Amino acid sequence: MRFFHLSDLHIGLRLYNRDLLEDQRYILDQIIKTARQEEPDAIVIAGDIYDRAVPSAEAVELFDYFVSGLTEHLPRCEIMMISGNHDSPARIDVYRRVLERQNIHMIGLPPMKADQYIEKVVLQDEYGSVGFFLLPFVKPSMVKAIVGTDENGNNASYDETLQRLFRREIEDGRLHPEERNVLVSHQFYLPQGEDAGNIERMESEIVTIGNIDQVSTRVLEPFDYAALGHIHKPMKAGRDCWRYCGTPLAYSVDERGQKKGILEVELKEKGEVSMQLLPLLPLRQVRVMEGTSQEVMQHPTDDYVRIVLTDPAYTPPAILEMLRRTFPHLLEIVRKIPDRMDYEAGTYAVRSGKTDPYDLCRDLIGERAKEEELALLREVINKVQGGQGQA
Protein backbone atom coordinates (compact mmCIF):
# COMPACT_ATOMS: atom_id res chain seq x y z
CA MET A 1 0.00 0.00 0.00
CA ARG A 2 1.59 3.24 -1.16
CA PHE A 3 0.11 6.65 -0.53
CA PHE A 4 1.08 10.31 -0.70
CA HIS A 5 0.97 12.43 2.45
CA LEU A 6 0.32 16.14 1.87
CA SER A 7 -1.02 18.90 4.09
CA ASP A 8 -1.43 22.65 4.54
CA LEU A 9 -1.95 23.62 0.91
CA HIS A 10 -3.31 27.00 2.10
CA ILE A 11 -4.69 27.78 -1.34
CA GLY A 12 -5.30 31.51 -1.58
CA LEU A 13 -2.61 32.51 0.92
CA ARG A 14 -0.83 35.82 0.35
CA LEU A 15 2.83 36.24 1.29
CA TYR A 16 3.42 39.80 2.52
CA ASN A 17 0.37 40.69 0.43
CA ARG A 18 1.83 38.95 -2.62
CA ASP A 19 -0.68 36.78 -4.49
CA LEU A 20 0.70 33.21 -4.61
CA LEU A 21 -1.92 31.59 -6.86
CA GLU A 22 0.55 31.33 -9.76
CA ASP A 23 3.13 29.70 -7.47
CA GLN A 24 0.52 27.37 -5.98
CA ARG A 25 -0.74 26.28 -9.39
CA TYR A 26 2.88 25.56 -10.37
CA ILE A 27 3.44 23.34 -7.32
CA LEU A 28 0.05 21.60 -7.64
CA ASP A 29 0.95 20.76 -11.25
CA GLN A 30 4.13 19.12 -9.91
CA ILE A 31 2.08 17.05 -7.48
CA ILE A 32 -0.23 15.90 -10.29
CA LYS A 33 2.76 15.03 -12.47
CA THR A 34 4.47 13.12 -9.65
CA ALA A 35 1.25 11.24 -8.88
CA ARG A 36 0.97 10.21 -12.53
CA GLN A 37 4.52 8.88 -12.43
CA GLU A 38 4.32 7.07 -9.09
CA GLU A 39 0.66 5.94 -9.25
CA PRO A 40 0.00 5.79 -5.49
CA ASP A 41 -2.98 3.83 -4.18
CA ALA A 42 -4.16 6.85 -2.19
CA ILE A 43 -3.47 10.55 -1.62
CA VAL A 44 -4.18 12.09 1.78
CA ILE A 45 -4.29 15.81 2.52
CA ALA A 46 -4.14 16.50 6.26
CA GLY A 47 -6.04 19.77 6.49
CA ASP A 48 -5.83 23.48 5.67
CA ILE A 49 -6.86 23.05 2.08
CA TYR A 50 -7.61 26.76 1.92
CA ASP A 51 -6.03 29.64 3.79
CA ARG A 52 -9.38 31.18 4.72
CA ALA A 53 -12.70 29.83 5.89
CA VAL A 54 -14.36 31.69 3.01
CA PRO A 55 -11.88 31.26 0.15
CA SER A 56 -11.85 33.48 -2.91
CA ALA A 57 -13.41 32.31 -6.16
CA GLU A 58 -9.89 32.03 -7.62
CA ALA A 59 -8.78 29.77 -4.75
CA VAL A 60 -11.80 27.48 -5.20
CA GLU A 61 -11.16 27.35 -8.95
CA LEU A 62 -7.53 26.32 -8.36
CA PHE A 63 -8.54 23.58 -5.91
CA ASP A 64 -11.09 22.29 -8.43
CA TYR A 65 -8.33 22.25 -11.06
CA PHE A 66 -6.08 20.25 -8.71
CA VAL A 67 -8.63 17.60 -7.76
CA SER A 68 -9.86 17.30 -11.35
CA GLY A 69 -6.28 16.72 -12.50
CA LEU A 70 -5.73 13.98 -9.93
CA THR A 71 -8.97 12.15 -10.72
CA GLU A 72 -8.44 12.41 -14.46
CA HIS A 73 -5.00 10.81 -14.40
CA LEU A 74 -5.55 8.48 -11.40
CA PRO A 75 -9.13 7.21 -11.67
CA ARG A 76 -8.54 4.33 -9.23
CA CYS A 77 -6.71 6.39 -6.60
CA GLU A 78 -8.53 7.12 -3.34
CA ILE A 79 -8.28 10.83 -2.50
CA MET A 80 -8.82 11.58 1.19
CA MET A 81 -8.75 15.02 2.77
CA ILE A 82 -9.86 16.71 5.96
CA SER A 83 -10.51 20.27 7.07
CA GLY A 84 -7.91 22.15 9.11
CA ASN A 85 -8.24 25.07 11.47
CA HIS A 86 -8.10 27.49 8.51
CA ASP A 87 -10.93 25.78 6.65
CA SER A 88 -14.69 26.03 7.04
CA PRO A 89 -15.75 22.54 8.22
CA ALA A 90 -19.25 22.85 6.76
CA ARG A 91 -17.96 24.00 3.37
CA ILE A 92 -15.42 21.17 3.15
CA ASP A 93 -18.11 18.67 4.21
CA VAL A 94 -20.55 19.58 1.43
CA TYR A 95 -21.50 16.71 -0.95
CA ARG A 96 -19.53 14.35 1.28
CA ARG A 97 -21.60 11.23 0.49
CA VAL A 98 -21.86 12.07 -3.20
CA LEU A 99 -18.12 12.55 -3.64
CA GLU A 100 -17.15 9.32 -1.91
CA ARG A 101 -18.76 7.42 -4.81
CA GLN A 102 -16.03 8.98 -6.97
CA ASN A 103 -13.26 7.84 -4.55
CA ILE A 104 -13.03 11.37 -3.14
CA HIS A 105 -13.43 11.68 0.61
CA MET A 106 -13.70 15.31 1.77
CA ILE A 107 -14.32 15.28 5.51
CA GLY A 108 -15.01 18.64 7.08
CA LEU A 109 -16.83 17.75 10.30
CA PRO A 110 -15.79 15.37 13.08
CA PRO A 111 -18.35 13.04 14.71
CA MET A 112 -20.70 15.25 16.71
CA LYS A 113 -23.63 12.96 17.58
CA ALA A 114 -23.88 9.67 19.46
CA ASP A 115 -24.41 7.67 16.27
CA GLN A 116 -21.47 9.24 14.45
CA TYR A 117 -17.86 8.05 14.34
CA ILE A 118 -14.57 9.13 12.81
CA GLU A 119 -14.81 8.62 9.05
CA LYS A 120 -13.06 5.36 8.14
CA VAL A 121 -11.97 4.34 4.63
CA VAL A 122 -10.78 0.74 4.24
CA LEU A 123 -8.42 -0.19 1.41
CA GLN A 124 -7.08 -3.62 0.50
CA ASP A 125 -3.68 -4.87 -0.65
CA GLU A 126 -1.80 -8.17 -0.70
CA TYR A 127 -1.28 -8.00 3.07
CA GLY A 128 -4.93 -7.40 3.93
CA SER A 129 -6.88 -4.30 4.90
CA VAL A 130 -5.69 -0.82 5.89
CA GLY A 131 -8.04 1.46 7.79
CA PHE A 132 -7.66 5.19 7.15
CA PHE A 133 -9.23 7.26 9.94
CA LEU A 134 -10.02 10.79 8.72
CA LEU A 135 -10.30 13.20 11.64
CA PRO A 136 -10.71 16.92 10.81
CA PHE A 137 -9.47 19.63 13.14
CA VAL A 138 -11.28 19.20 16.45
CA LYS A 139 -12.12 21.66 19.18
CA PRO A 140 -13.42 20.11 22.43
CA SER A 141 -16.69 22.07 22.14
CA MET A 142 -17.40 20.46 18.74
CA VAL A 143 -17.51 16.89 20.12
CA LYS A 144 -18.80 17.65 23.61
CA ALA A 145 -21.92 15.54 23.05
CA ILE A 146 -19.72 12.49 22.46
CA VAL A 147 -16.71 12.88 24.78
CA GLY A 148 -18.48 14.65 27.64
CA THR A 149 -16.93 17.23 29.96
CA ASP A 150 -14.41 17.35 32.81
CA GLU A 151 -15.29 16.90 36.50
CA ASN A 152 -16.38 20.54 36.71
CA GLY A 153 -18.72 20.38 33.74
CA ASN A 154 -16.32 22.30 31.48
CA ASN A 155 -15.10 21.22 28.07
CA ALA A 156 -12.39 18.58 28.26
CA SER A 157 -8.87 19.55 27.25
CA TYR A 158 -7.73 18.95 23.68
CA ASP A 159 -5.60 16.06 24.91
CA GLU A 160 -8.42 14.40 26.85
CA THR A 161 -10.83 14.99 23.97
CA LEU A 162 -8.66 13.10 21.50
CA GLN A 163 -8.01 10.31 24.00
CA ARG A 164 -11.74 9.79 24.50
CA LEU A 165 -12.48 9.89 20.76
CA PHE A 166 -9.94 7.18 19.95
CA ARG A 167 -10.88 5.09 23.00
CA ARG A 168 -14.48 5.16 21.80
CA GLU A 169 -13.41 3.89 18.36
CA ILE A 170 -11.56 0.97 19.99
CA GLU A 171 -14.30 0.10 22.47
CA ASP A 172 -16.96 0.12 19.74
CA GLY A 173 -14.91 -2.21 17.53
CA ARG A 174 -14.06 0.19 14.73
CA LEU A 175 -10.35 0.66 15.49
CA HIS A 176 -8.38 -2.56 15.89
CA PRO A 177 -4.81 -1.83 17.12
CA GLU A 178 -3.63 -5.26 15.92
CA GLU A 179 -4.53 -4.31 12.34
CA ARG A 180 -2.89 -1.75 10.07
CA ASN A 181 -4.28 1.71 10.74
CA VAL A 182 -3.48 5.17 9.38
CA LEU A 183 -4.61 8.40 11.05
CA VAL A 184 -5.10 11.59 9.04
CA SER A 185 -5.34 14.45 11.53
CA HIS A 186 -4.82 18.19 11.85
CA GLN A 187 -3.82 18.96 15.46
CA PHE A 188 -0.79 20.03 17.48
CA TYR A 189 0.66 16.70 18.63
CA LEU A 190 3.44 16.97 21.18
CA PRO A 191 5.84 14.09 21.92
CA GLN A 192 5.69 12.89 25.51
CA GLY A 193 8.11 14.77 27.74
CA GLU A 194 8.62 17.52 25.16
CA ASP A 195 8.04 21.19 25.99
CA ALA A 196 5.72 22.95 23.53
CA GLY A 197 8.05 25.96 23.63
CA ASN A 198 10.83 23.85 22.10
CA ILE A 199 8.84 23.10 18.95
CA GLU A 200 9.85 25.51 16.20
CA ARG A 201 6.74 27.16 14.79
CA MET A 202 6.58 29.19 11.60
CA GLU A 203 5.31 32.76 11.17
CA SER A 204 2.54 31.51 8.87
CA GLU A 205 1.02 29.26 11.56
CA ILE A 206 -1.72 30.14 14.02
CA VAL A 207 -0.43 29.42 17.52
CA THR A 208 -2.81 29.32 20.47
CA ILE A 209 -1.98 31.26 23.63
CA GLY A 210 -0.39 28.93 26.14
CA ASN A 211 -0.46 26.07 23.59
CA ILE A 212 -3.75 24.90 25.04
CA ASP A 213 -4.40 22.87 21.87
CA GLN A 214 -1.50 20.48 22.44
CA VAL A 215 -2.22 16.74 22.36
CA SER A 216 0.17 14.08 23.64
CA THR A 217 1.42 11.67 20.98
CA ARG A 218 0.50 8.76 23.26
CA VAL A 219 -2.95 8.88 21.62
CA LEU A 220 -1.27 7.84 18.33
CA GLU A 221 -0.22 4.43 19.64
CA PRO A 222 -2.91 2.45 17.73
CA PHE A 223 -1.73 3.83 14.38
CA ASP A 224 0.99 2.44 12.12
CA TYR A 225 1.31 5.83 10.48
CA ALA A 226 -0.01 9.26 11.44
CA ALA A 227 -0.35 11.65 8.47
CA LEU A 228 -0.38 14.95 10.32
CA GLY A 229 -1.06 18.52 9.32
CA HIS A 230 -0.92 21.89 11.13
CA ILE A 231 2.85 22.32 11.67
CA HIS A 232 4.38 23.97 8.61
CA LYS A 233 7.90 22.64 9.07
CA PRO A 234 8.48 19.00 8.04
CA MET A 235 9.15 17.06 11.25
CA LYS A 236 8.55 13.86 13.18
CA ALA A 237 6.05 13.81 16.04
CA GLY A 238 8.06 11.57 18.31
CA ARG A 239 8.29 8.46 16.13
CA ASP A 240 9.52 8.16 12.57
CA CYS A 241 6.07 6.94 11.47
CA TRP A 242 4.19 9.91 12.95
CA ARG A 243 4.93 12.78 10.60
CA TYR A 244 4.15 16.38 9.77
CA CYS A 245 4.91 16.67 6.06
CA GLY A 246 4.90 20.49 6.16
CA THR A 247 3.68 22.91 3.52
CA PRO A 248 4.35 22.29 -0.19
CA LEU A 249 5.68 25.86 -0.48
CA ALA A 250 7.49 28.29 1.80
CA TYR A 251 4.69 30.40 3.24
CA SER A 252 6.84 32.67 5.42
CA VAL A 253 10.38 34.03 5.37
CA ASP A 254 11.43 31.70 8.18
CA GLU A 255 10.49 28.70 6.00
CA ARG A 256 13.15 29.57 3.44
CA GLY A 257 15.63 26.79 2.82
CA GLN A 258 13.33 24.03 4.05
CA LYS A 259 13.15 20.91 1.89
CA LYS A 260 9.57 20.84 0.71
CA GLY A 261 8.02 17.79 -0.88
CA ILE A 262 5.53 14.94 -0.88
CA LEU A 263 5.95 12.20 1.70
CA GLU A 264 5.48 8.89 -0.05
CA VAL A 265 4.56 6.22 2.51
CA GLU A 266 4.58 2.47 1.95
CA LEU A 267 2.89 -0.02 4.27
CA LYS A 268 3.68 -3.71 4.05
CA GLU A 269 2.99 -6.16 6.83
CA LYS A 270 1.92 -4.86 10.23
CA GLY A 271 4.75 -2.72 11.62
CA GLU A 272 6.59 -2.37 8.31
CA VAL A 273 6.47 1.28 7.26
CA SER A 274 8.87 3.13 4.98
CA MET A 275 8.90 6.75 3.81
CA GLN A 276 10.69 8.83 1.23
CA LEU A 277 10.55 12.50 0.30
CA LEU A 278 9.64 13.33 -3.28
CA PRO A 279 10.99 16.89 -3.71
CA LEU A 280 8.85 19.79 -4.88
CA LEU A 281 10.68 22.68 -6.54
CA PRO A 282 8.96 26.08 -6.36
CA LEU A 283 8.54 28.56 -9.15
CA ARG A 284 10.30 31.10 -6.93
CA GLN A 285 12.36 30.73 -3.78
CA VAL A 286 11.95 32.88 -0.66
CA ARG A 287 15.17 34.69 0.21
CA VAL A 288 16.63 37.26 2.59
CA MET A 289 19.28 39.63 1.23
CA GLU A 290 21.33 41.89 3.49
CA GLY A 291 23.70 44.70 2.60
CA THR A 292 23.81 48.27 1.41
CA SER A 293 21.41 49.26 -1.34
CA GLN A 294 24.28 49.28 -3.84
CA GLU A 295 25.46 45.82 -2.77
CA VAL A 296 21.99 44.33 -2.89
CA MET A 297 21.22 45.71 -6.36
CA GLN A 298 24.20 43.83 -7.77
CA HIS A 299 22.24 40.56 -7.33
CA PRO A 300 18.88 40.95 -9.11
CA THR A 301 16.48 38.02 -8.84
CA ASP A 302 12.89 37.06 -9.62
CA ASP A 303 12.59 35.27 -6.25
CA TYR A 304 10.56 36.55 -3.31
CA VAL A 305 13.00 38.73 -1.37
CA ARG A 306 13.10 40.39 2.01
CA ILE A 307 15.81 43.07 1.91
CA VAL A 308 17.66 44.13 5.03
CA LEU A 309 19.48 47.41 4.32
CA THR A 310 22.64 48.31 6.16
CA ASP A 311 23.06 51.77 4.63
CA PRO A 312 24.34 54.16 7.32
CA ALA A 313 22.11 56.99 6.07
CA TYR A 314 18.52 57.57 5.10
CA THR A 315 17.65 55.80 1.84
CA PRO A 316 16.14 58.25 -0.68
CA PRO A 317 12.85 57.31 -2.37
CA ALA A 318 14.62 57.08 -5.72
CA ILE A 319 16.84 54.27 -4.41
CA LEU A 320 13.84 52.46 -2.92
CA GLU A 321 12.11 52.65 -6.30
CA MET A 322 15.21 51.21 -7.98
CA LEU A 323 15.12 48.31 -5.51
CA ARG A 324 11.47 47.64 -6.34
CA ARG A 325 12.29 47.56 -10.06
CA THR A 326 15.34 45.34 -9.53
CA PHE A 327 13.33 42.86 -7.43
CA PRO A 328 9.87 42.44 -9.03
CA HIS A 329 8.75 40.09 -6.24
CA LEU A 330 10.03 42.18 -3.36
CA LEU A 331 8.32 41.34 -0.06
CA GLU A 332 9.58 44.15 2.15
CA ILE A 333 12.52 46.44 2.86
CA VAL A 334 13.71 46.81 6.44
CA ARG A 335 16.65 48.65 7.92
CA LYS A 336 19.12 46.85 10.12
CA ILE A 337 19.15 48.62 13.48
CA PRO A 338 22.68 49.62 14.55
CA ASP A 339 23.91 48.26 17.84
CA ARG A 340 23.99 50.42 20.97
CA MET A 341 27.57 51.57 20.49
CA ASP A 342 26.70 52.87 17.03
CA TYR A 343 23.86 54.88 18.48
CA GLU A 344 26.02 56.28 21.26
CA ALA A 345 28.65 57.30 18.76
CA GLY A 346 26.10 59.08 16.59
CA THR A 347 26.59 56.66 13.71
CA TYR A 348 25.68 58.75 10.70
CA ALA A 349 27.11 62.01 11.96
CA VAL A 350 30.44 60.33 12.68
CA ARG A 351 30.63 58.38 9.42
CA SER A 352 29.55 61.30 7.25
CA GLY A 353 31.72 63.85 9.00
CA LYS A 354 28.76 66.21 9.22
CA THR A 355 27.75 67.89 12.45
CA ASP A 356 25.60 70.78 11.25
CA PRO A 357 21.91 70.07 12.04
CA TYR A 358 20.76 71.61 8.78
CA ASP A 359 23.06 69.39 6.67
CA LEU A 360 21.99 66.30 8.58
CA CYS A 361 18.31 67.13 8.06
CA ARG A 362 18.89 67.76 4.37
CA ASP A 363 20.39 64.28 4.02
CA LEU A 364 17.40 62.81 5.83
CA ILE A 365 14.90 64.57 3.55
CA GLY A 366 16.81 63.88 0.37
CA GLU A 367 15.96 65.64 -2.86
CA ARG A 368 12.24 65.84 -2.16
CA ALA A 369 12.26 69.16 -0.31
CA LYS A 370 11.21 72.35 -2.08
CA GLU A 371 13.06 75.62 -1.60
CA GLU A 372 10.35 77.10 0.64
CA GLU A 373 10.46 73.98 2.82
CA LEU A 374 14.21 74.28 3.20
CA ALA A 375 13.78 77.90 4.20
CA LEU A 376 11.30 76.80 6.88
CA LEU A 377 13.81 74.18 8.04
CA ARG A 378 16.48 76.85 8.46
CA GLU A 379 14.05 78.98 10.45
CA VAL A 380 13.09 76.12 12.79
CA ILE A 381 16.71 75.16 13.44
CA ASN A 382 17.62 78.78 14.15
CA LYS A 383 14.79 79.07 16.67
CA VAL A 384 15.77 75.80 18.38
CA GLN A 385 19.34 77.03 18.67
CA GLY A 386 18.15 80.27 20.19
CA GLY A 387 18.68 82.31 17.09
CA GLN A 388 22.42 81.57 17.10
CA GLY A 389 22.47 78.81 14.42
CA GLN A 390 24.63 79.16 11.38
CA ALA A 391 22.29 77.50 8.92
Side-chain angles (χ1 to χ4, degrees), residues 59-225:
V60 174
E61 182 181 359
L62 180 55
F63 180 59
D64 175 73
Y65 167 84
F66 176 53
V67 175
S68 297
L70 291 176
T71 55
E72 177 184 351
H73 298 295
L74 300 163
R76 293 189 300 273
C77 180
E78 296 283 341
I79 301 173
M80 297 173 265
M81 61 193 85
I82 60 173
S83 64
N85 58 305
H86 279 253
D87 297 311
S88 165
R91 285 182 172 85
I92 299 298
D93 216 63
V94 72
Y95 304 129
R96 174 168 167 172
R97 297 306 171 196
V98 175
L99 290 170
E100 68 180 20
R101 300 173 199 159
Q102 309 300 321
N103 299 335
I104 300 173
H105 308 270
M106 287 183 62
I107 313 303
L109 293 166
M112 299 171 68
K113 299 178 181 178
D115 61 344
Q116 296 177 342
Y117 292 88
I118 299 172
E119 185 74 10
K120 181 181 180 182
V121 177
V122 179
L123 303 183
Q124 301 287 335
D125 65 7
E126 62 268 36
Y127 299 103
S129 64
V130 178
F132 287 81
F133 289 80
L134 313 180
L135 181 63
F137 178 69
V138 174
K139 291 182 179 180
S141 59
M142 299 170 69
V143 293
K144 183 177 179 179
I146 294 176
V147 303
T149 59
D150 63 16
E151 62 275 10
N152 298 316
N154 300 317
N155 290 333
S157 67
Y158 278 80
D159 184 68
E160 184 62 26
T161 294
L162 270 292
Q163 285 191 55
R164 294 180 186 182
L165 275 178
F166 294 139
R167 189 184 308 129
R168 179 174 180 261
E169 297 286 324
I170 294 173
E171 291 173 350
D172 289 3
R174 301 185 73 257
L175 174 57
H176 303 280
E178 69 279 4
E179 298 178 353
R180 292 179 300 164
N181 300 295
V182 173
L183 174 66
V184 183
S185 178
H186 192 94
Q187 304 284 159
F188 177 30
Y189 289 98
L190 188 66
Q192 295 185 61
E194 184 68 80
D195 187 325
N198 294 332
I199 304 297
E200 185 180 5
R201 307 295 295 272
M202 303 294 103
E203 292 176 0
S204 53
E205 297 176 33
I206 294 176
V207 181
T208 60
I209 297 174
N211 293 298
I212 62 170
D213 59 344
Q214 67 186 47
V215 179
S216 172
T217 52
R218 66 180 179 275
V219 304
L220 303 178
E221 292 289 345
F223 300 99
D224 296 80
Y225 185 83

